[in-house]
């Protein structure tokens, strides 16, 4: 029988400072009526864009926690992985997906590893190669433009045509995932930022664009994929879920921008979370041919 409250296994880090990973995943999924079961990959004093970060990677504990979940016969309506604390964890997550796989389940891999053309400080070229193996297991992946370039071994440039992004989506879909979403695609000389979605079964592309604001907040990718995934779990179509996710982030950036504030803390989620408590209000997606 269908659960009254659907449940997702979230394989992400817990960072004490800065709204990334589990700190934003919990409030977003809870507001959207979905229970989060957290499998922490690492505990950090802050996310990695602060200097002097202290990181505890939880490889051994993950293996023990997963064994406990198996003994409890846990099952999940969706699985969602993000920031991983070590290269070894990529194999742990691959095995987790195999062990907990169900036919009617959504497996989301956000290949968190890079932004603005550069790998995050804790990531190496070897992890990029392993991440290419992890996305094969996913139904849906949500790389930003930089991560898509790393996954494909392509050169990153912040000037890229929509045609080329569509081609990247097709190549990524050949690796296994049915849904590819590439975010942070600059348009109109950087005046707009687009997110492109491709659904391999129906061979359709969608795009949602918003005005670009000159600010960058860590964790927006985690919040984006959380809203997108929760909306799909609630029954939204892919383009409507994309629309909700893009517009939620845009609202969060606008609510934050203009405050005298350290951008490393992330968007002020608490000021906009309530807008997620209800069905879609407006929509602006375009179908690409
Ligand atoms: O949202 C990306 C992210 C997640 N987790 C940690 C990070 C970052 C980005 O900097 O450092 C620990």
């Amino acid at each position: 029988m269908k659960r009254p409250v659907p449940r997702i296994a979230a394989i992400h880090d817990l960072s004490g400072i800065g709204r990334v990973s589990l700190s934003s995943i919990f409030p977003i999924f809870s507001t959207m009526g979905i229970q989060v079961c957290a499998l922490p990959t690492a505990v950090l004093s802050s996310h990695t864009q602060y200097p002097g970060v202290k990181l505890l990677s939880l490889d051994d504990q993950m293996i023990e926690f997963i064994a406990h979940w198996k003994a409890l016969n846990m099952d999940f309506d969706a699985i969602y992985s993000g920031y991983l604390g070590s290269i070894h964890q990529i194999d742990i997550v691959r095995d987790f997906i195999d062990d907990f796989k169900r036919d009617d389940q959504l497996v989301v891999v956000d290949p968190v590893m890079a932004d603005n053309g550069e790998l995050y400080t804790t990531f190496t070229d070897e992890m990029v190669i392993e991440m290419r193996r992890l996305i094969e297991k996913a139904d849906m992946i949500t790389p930003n433009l930089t991560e898509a370039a790393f996954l494909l071994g392509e050169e990153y440039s912040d000037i890229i045509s929509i045609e080329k992004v569509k081609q990247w989506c097709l190549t990524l879909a050949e690796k296994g995932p049915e849904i590819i979403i590439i975010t942070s695609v600059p348009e109109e000389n950087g005046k707009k930022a687009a997110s492109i979605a491709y659904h391999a079964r129906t061979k359709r592309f969608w795009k949602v664009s918003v005005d670009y604001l000159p600010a960058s907040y860590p964790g927006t990718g985690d919040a984006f994929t959380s809203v997108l995934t929760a909306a799909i779990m609630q029954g939204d179509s892919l383009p409507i879920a994309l629309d909700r996710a893009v517009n939620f982030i845009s609202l969060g950036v606008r609510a934050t921008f203009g405050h005298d504030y350290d951008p490393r803390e992330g968007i002020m989620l608490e000021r906009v979370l309530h807008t997620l408590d209800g069905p879609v209000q407006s929509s602006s997606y375009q179908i690409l041919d």
Side-chain angles (χ1 to χ4, degrees):
M1 207 174 68
K2 219 168 153 238
R3 279 194 189 91
V5 176
R7 177 152 86 189
I8 188 162
I11 313 174
H12 295 259
D13 69 278
L14 180 61
S15 287
I17 309 289
R19 296 175 186 82
V20 302
S21 304
L22 290 174
S23 313
S24 57
I25 286 166
F26 269 115
I28 289 173
F29 278 97
S30 301
T31 305
M32 295 180 76
I34 287 152
Q35 181 196 359
V36 174
C37 301
L39 180 63
T41 57
V43 180
L44 296 91
S45 53
S46 71
H47 65 58
T48 58
Q49 295 180 40
Y50 285 95
V53 55
K54 301 288 175 243
L55 182 149
L56 175 67
S57 189
L58 297 175
D59 302 22
D60 295 343
Q61 290 73 17
M62 283 176 79
I63 291 169
E64 287 180 21
F65 288 14
I66 293 167
H68 183 213
W69 285 8
K70 277 195 212 158
L72 293 175
N73 267 329
M74 292 300 295
D75 79 295
F76 304 100
D77 303 297
I79 298 172
Y80 166 28
S81 78
Y83 180 94
L84 303 179
S86 73
I87 192 161
H88 179 45
Q89 288 186 7
I90 298 183
D91 273 333
I92 298 178
V93 177
R94 282 172 59 91
D95 290 347
F96 182 93
I97 294 170
D98 286 341
D99 287 343
F100 288 88
K101 186 85 195 116
R102 261 180 23 196
D103 285 345
D104 57 341
Q105 185 186 51
L106 180 68
V107 177
V108 182
V109 172
D110 186 3
V112 176
M113 54 185 177
D115 205 1
N116 301 314
E118 286 177 20
L119 285 178
Y120 295 137
T121 49
T122 52
F123 282 83
T124 59
D125 293 343
E126 290 73 45
M127 283 176 93
V128 175
I129 292 167
E130 288 301 300
M131 198 58 100
R132 291 181 188 147
R133 292 177 57 235
L134 180 58
I135 63 165
E136 293 166 3
K137 298 264 178 208
D139 300 312
M140 176 164 87
I141 61 170
T142 56
N144 59 37
L145 190 63
T146 305
E147 289 157 347
F150 275 106
L151 288 172
L152 292 167
E154 294 275 359
E155 200 68 36
Y156 169 83
S157 163
D158 56 8
I159 302 171
I160 186 164
S161 68
I162 295 297
E163 269 321 300
K164 190 153 181 197
V165 178
K166 283 170 69 182
Q167 194 54 51
W168 284 15
C169 288
L170 292 172
T171 313
L172 286 168
E174 279 166 17
K175 299 179 190 301
E178 183 168 54
I179 300 173
I180 312 291
I181 295 181
I182 301 186
T183 63
S184 309
V185 180
E187 272 190 304
E188 299 178 20
N189 288 327
K191 286 202 208 76
K192 295 213 166 233
S195 297
I196 315 279
Y198 174 61
H199 187 229
R201 189 152 32 89
T202 53
K203 298 195 168 29
R204 270 201 194 282
F205 287 95
W206 289 275
K207 184 178 80 156
V208 179
S209 301
V210 289
D211 289 340
Y212 175 78
L213 285 186
S216 171
Y217 299 100
T220 47
D222 301 324
F224 171 89
T225 304
S226 299
V227 175
L228 175 84
T229 302
I232 290 175
M233 290 176 78
Q234 285 179 339
D236 279 341
S237 68
L238 175 60
I240 286 288
L242 177 71
D243 219 319
R244 285 180 78 178
V246 171
N247 285 304
F248 177 74
I249 299 304
S250 173
L251 184 65
V253 169
R254 283 172 177 277
T256 310
F257 192 75
H259 280 290
D260 182 13
Y261 170 79
D262 184 344
R264 292 177 299 187
E265 289 195 29
I267 55 172
M268 294 178 180
L269 273 181
E270 298 77 2
R271 300 197 71 84
V272 289
L273 260 185
H274 64 277
T275 63
L276 293 173
D277 182 16
V280 64
Q281 300 286 338
S282 66
S283 154
S284 63
Y285 68 77
Q286 287 174 260
I287 304 173
L288 301 177
D289 35 47

